Amino acid sequence: MVTGATSGIGKACALILAKNGYHIIATGRRSDRLDGLKSEVPDGIEVLPLVFDVRDKEAVFKLIENLPDSWKNIDLLINNAGNAHGMDPIQTGSLDDWDAMMDINVKGLLYVSKAVIPGMTARKSGMIINIGSIAGKEVYPNGNVYCGSKHAVDAITKGMRIDLNPYGIKVIGIHPGLVETEFSVVRFKGDEERAEKVYQGFEPLLAQDIAEIVEFCVNRPSHVVLADILVLPTAQATATTVHKNL
Ligand code: NDP
Ligand code: 8X3
C-alpha cells in the first residue's frame, strides 16, 4: 500500500514496486490519477485504487478494514501522503495551513498505520516505510510547522520501530532533501513560477531517486533493515545550504 500514489514520490514508489512484482493498493484523493496507474504497471500486476483523504478517519478505517480478502495482507506500507502548505513566519502563519500539515502529515500517517499494523502484528511480518524529510532533522526559517510535522514523523517512526520490534516488522524512515515534484506547487498554492525557482541552478533529486532507495530497502535480506536514511541532492548540504549556479 502506497499512500499519496497520485504524484511525485508516491507514484514513483508504486511503479517501481510494481516492477518488482508487488500488487499495489494505491491511495490518494485524485481517483483519475489512481486509475491511470493501472495502464503503467507491467502485465500481471494488479492495482487497487483506494480513494480517501488521510484526514478522514472514518474513511481510512472503513476502506482498509473492508479490503477484499485477496488484498487484506498488506506486506508493505509506504506512508508517503503529505505536503507542506505555506512557508510563513510563525507570527503570520495560517491556521488552515497548520491544520492541514498536522492533520495530513502526522495524524493521517497515524490513522493509516493504525488500520494496517494489526494485520502485520498478527502475521509477525511486514515493513513500514515512512517518508519524512530533512525538515524532520533540521528546522529552517519559515519552515516551523512543516518541520514540526516532519520531526513528529521522525519520532513516530522511531517509536514504531521500538514497539513493533518483537513482531519482526521492519520500520524505515526515509528523509529526503529537495525533490522536484508537485510539492512546491502545493506549498506555494499553485504559484508555478515560485515553485520552479526552488529547483533552479542545481540538480535536485527526482521522485525516481527516492523510489530506487525504496527498491533497495525492500530487497534487503530479512535480517537487514535500513532504519534511517537521509538523502540529499549532491548540491545540498543542509536544509538551507544549496550550491546554486544562477
Ligand atoms: P506531491 O505533491 O507530488 O505528492 C503528494 C502526494 O500526497 C499526492 O499523491 C497527494 O495525493 C498526497 N496527499 C496530499 N494530501 C493528501 C490528503 N489529505 N489525503 C490523501 N493524500 C494526500 O509531493 P511529494 O511527492 O514531493 O511528497 C510526498 C512526500 O514526500 C510528502 O510526505 C512530503 O512531505 C515528502 N517530502 C517531499 C520532499 C520534496 O522535496 N518534494 C522532500 C522531503 C519529503 P492527492 O492530492 O491526490 O490526494
Ligand atoms: C521537503 C523538502 O526542504 O522543503 O520536505 O523541507 S524541504
Side-chain angles (χ1 to χ4, degrees), residues 84 87 132-136 138 140 143 146-147 150 176-179 183-184 187 198-199 236 238-240:
M87 197 175 175
S133 170
I134 191 171
E138 292 177 33
Y140 53 82
Y146 178 65
C147 295
K150 290 297 183 176
L178 291 153
V179 190
F183 176 87
S184 289
R187 170 172 245 176
V198 173
Y199 309 105
Q236 182 172 23
T238 71
T240 50

